[in-house]
Amino acid sequence: MPYLATQAIRMSTRAKTQHGVILLIVLILLAVTSLLAATSLRNATSTESIAGNIRTTELATQAADIALRHCESSVLRLMAIASGDTTSTAALYSSTFTDSNIYDANIAPPVWLASNWDNMGTKLFILPASLVGGTTLYKRPPECMVERVSRERSNVPIRGADGITVIGYAATATDTSSAFVITARGFGPEVAAADSQRTRPVGTEVWLQSHISLQ
């Protein structure tokens, strides 16, 4: 009987030890599972954030591209009309952009390098919201500025007071009426509409630039 009692005690002790090991293993597995779940959740959140950033950047780029193409077409329209063309596709392009929106040449540093476009005055051209689908997607429509570029040319057209109408030609002169640098900036959908003070925008902003030279 004493032998049986001792054996029973040993078996009970072994069972308790096994239960303790199993509990420890379960706790370790639970900790590992929780860690993996937290890592997966964090990765999913990071992926979603990256995807959102890519989307806003693409939309801002799209808005800037629309502004750049519109201002390029607007400049070509003005030049076509100045040459007497009133029927070509360029001349018939619909735009509220006028010669008064074009900055003079030889401004140093170039106007587009200004640290804050929002204090540039009336020459800065703000696209009509209708050109970017209204205010549903973009709270702040894209903008562009056009600057004349001076260059030495022969047989240069001499333009009238309006800066467009050709009134004669010079054998050799500095031409400031046929080359332009066009800079546009677009904003992401998270950028708020401009306030009355045109506070500098906060959010995604993309700049694009092109050069036009007319022969």
Side-chain angles (χ1 to χ4, degrees):
M1 291 296 294
Y3 173 76
L4 294 176
T6 302
Q7 187 177 17
I9 291 172
R10 289 177 179 175
M11 292 179 64
S12 175
T13 301
R14 187 180 299 113
K16 289 180 179 179
T17 302
Q18 291 176 347
H19 289 164
V21 171
I22 292 173
L23 178 60
L24 179 60
I25 293 174
V26 170
L27 290 175
I28 292 174
L29 290 176
L30 181 61
V32 171
T33 303
S34 299
L35 181 61
L36 291 174
T39 302
S40 299
L41 180 61
R42 183 171 58 188
N43 289 340
T45 302
S46 298
T47 301
E48 183 178 356
S49 176
I50 292 172
N53 290 337
I54 292 174
R55 177 178 179 273
T56 55
T57 301
E58 288 179 345
L59 288 172
T61 302
Q62 178 180 315
D65 185 65
I66 291 173
L68 187 68
R69 303 309 169 201
H70 179 72
C71 289
E72 287 175 344
S73 297
S74 298
V75 170
L76 294 176
R77 169 182 172 272
L78 292 176
M79 301 312 296
I81 293 174
S83 67
D85 176 8
T86 59
T87 59
S88 68
T89 301
L92 295 175
Y93 183 78
S94 178
S95 176
T96 57
F97 184 97
T98 68
D99 189 65
S100 63
N101 292 114
I102 302 178
Y103 288 90
D104 294 331
N106 302 321
I107 297 177
V111 179
W112 68 269
L113 287 175
S115 59
N116 187 358
W117 278 31
D118 302 292
N119 294 326
M120 296 310 297
T122 58
K123 285 183 178 290
L124 179 67
F125 185 75
I126 302 173
L127 263 68
S130 59
L131 293 180
V132 288
T135 57
T136 302
L137 181 58
Y138 297 101
K139 302 180 185 68
R140 183 162 182 159
E143 307 162 350
C144 74
M145 63 168 59
V146 179
E147 301 172 66
R148 299 184 188 277
V149 177
S150 62
R151 57 178 180 163
E152 294 297 324
R153 294 183 63 196
S154 59
N155 197 30
V156 178
I158 301 173
R159 303 188 184 275
D162 61 1
I164 298 178
T165 305
V166 177
I167 59 176
Y169 291 88
T172 303
T174 300
D175 180 17
T176 60
S177 63
S178 60
F180 307 87
V181 57
I182 302 173
T183 311
R185 67 174 184 172
F187 309 100
E190 83 284 9
V191 177
D195 56 25
S196 59
Q197 302 298 318
R198 285 190 57 79
T199 305
R200 185 175 180 82
V202 177
T204 308
E205 185 175 328
V206 173
W207 290 40
L208 298 176
Q209 189 176 80
S210 67
H211 296 255
I212 292 179
S213 295
L214 305 178
Q215 301 301 321

